[in-house]
Amino acid sequence: MSPTPEVPDGKRPTLADVAARANVSTALVSIVIRGTKGASAATRERVLQAAKDIGYRPDTRARLLRSHRSRLLGVQFDLQHAFHTDLVEGIYAAAEPAGYQVALSAVAPSRSEQHAVDTLLADRCEALILLGPQAPAARLAELAAQLPVVSLARRLRPSAGNVEVVRTADDEGARQAVDHLVALGHRDIAHVDGGRAPGAADRRRGYRTAMNRHGLAAHARVLPGGLTEDDGAAAARALLATRPRPPTAVLAFNDRCATGLLDTFLRAGVPVPAGISVIGFDDSRLARLAHIDLTTVGQDIPRMAGLAVGRAIARLEGEPADEPAPGTETVIAPHLITRGTTAPPPATA
């Protein structure tokens, strides 16, 4: 075997580099890399070892472009929503074993949903998975007329056309939270709202339904809130100013909002849960941190992500769908996760 050549620093190793390293032809390297027949076991092992030695990785994007397919699933997510990070991880876990790659495009205060989607379309994504999209249903229907679209974690009306929908029963999650607090003995339970965020209206409705069912309609109050810790902190300050006294428990729109509540209550000398109980929503990584230990409503992230990916791929591959037809929705049950931020109300309440 001839002396092994070195790949110049900064240069991406090529098939030719692997061939030179293994002292075989480029065509034989291509056969081995593609996993097709035509190379002996010894040659295959030598080529793969050479590829590993010089750090060669197949350019899957280029190969797909040559086949006129990108096999890319475009995912739009919100940087401000911690729950979306967990969903993205679940999407990767479901997409890659199925032979698809994921392209991410973020929504941020300085970056609109329209920009995020346009970027994914420019990347030749074959389908879109939109996490909590806030675009009008008519706009989503327009997109769904161009390529498969899955809305994840947002209810849509039938006017959204062929958009696939996978979401949690947000109203049921809010009812579970209220039921838990009532079982602990709470009656004065407030809800910090999520405004116009996806799921907010359902969680608000579930909260009111549960309060009415328990005969606590007179105690129901909904405060303006939002997605972030700052929103939760502002709501906490408003609750602390309530006369004659604050509520004994609060259901927050999501875990980040709940964290803002916790921080403000503790800074004001109101212990949680001895002085006031707090429940979040999503069971994000934040809720599981030991020093937060947040009681929250969990969403089945692996199942949601897996269904979203599966529905997108089924549309792309033209497979017969075991799931509901395009334009319908799959609603997944949530589950309450009890941790350290809920307890019976103070004896003086």
Side-chain angles (χ1 to χ4, degrees), residues 192-213:
V192 178
D193 193 18
R196 300 181 63 183
D202 285 345
R203 295 176 195 184
R204 186 166 54 244
R205 181 172 60 254
Y207 161 78
R208 291 192 181 280
T209 298
M211 293 292 283
N212 289 340
R213 190 178 71 242

Side-chain angles (χ1 to χ4, degrees), residues 16 50 60 108 124 129 150 154 162 176 218 242 251 284 291 311 321 336:
T60 54
R124 297 183 69 246
I129 300 176
V150 180
R154 174 188 168 184
N162 282 337
Q176 289 180 18
T242 302
L251 167 61
S284 63
H291 67 286
R311 300 281 282 276
L336 185 75

Side-chain angles (χ1 to χ4, degrees), residues 77-85 105-111 256:
F77 70 105
D78 193 328
L79 281 177
Q80 290 188 299
H81 209 322
F83 176 59
H84 286 188
T85 303
S105 191
V107 176
S110 60
R111 196 170 193 266
R256 286 188 64 187

Side-chain angles (χ1 to χ4, degrees), residues 274-297:
I276 190 167
S277 288
V278 176
I279 296 183
F281 208 111
D282 291 339
D283 191 32
S284 63
R285 297 172 188 268
L286 191 65
R288 302 170 218 154
L289 295 175
H291 67 286
I292 294 180
D293 197 31
L294 180 67
T295 295
T296 186
V297 177

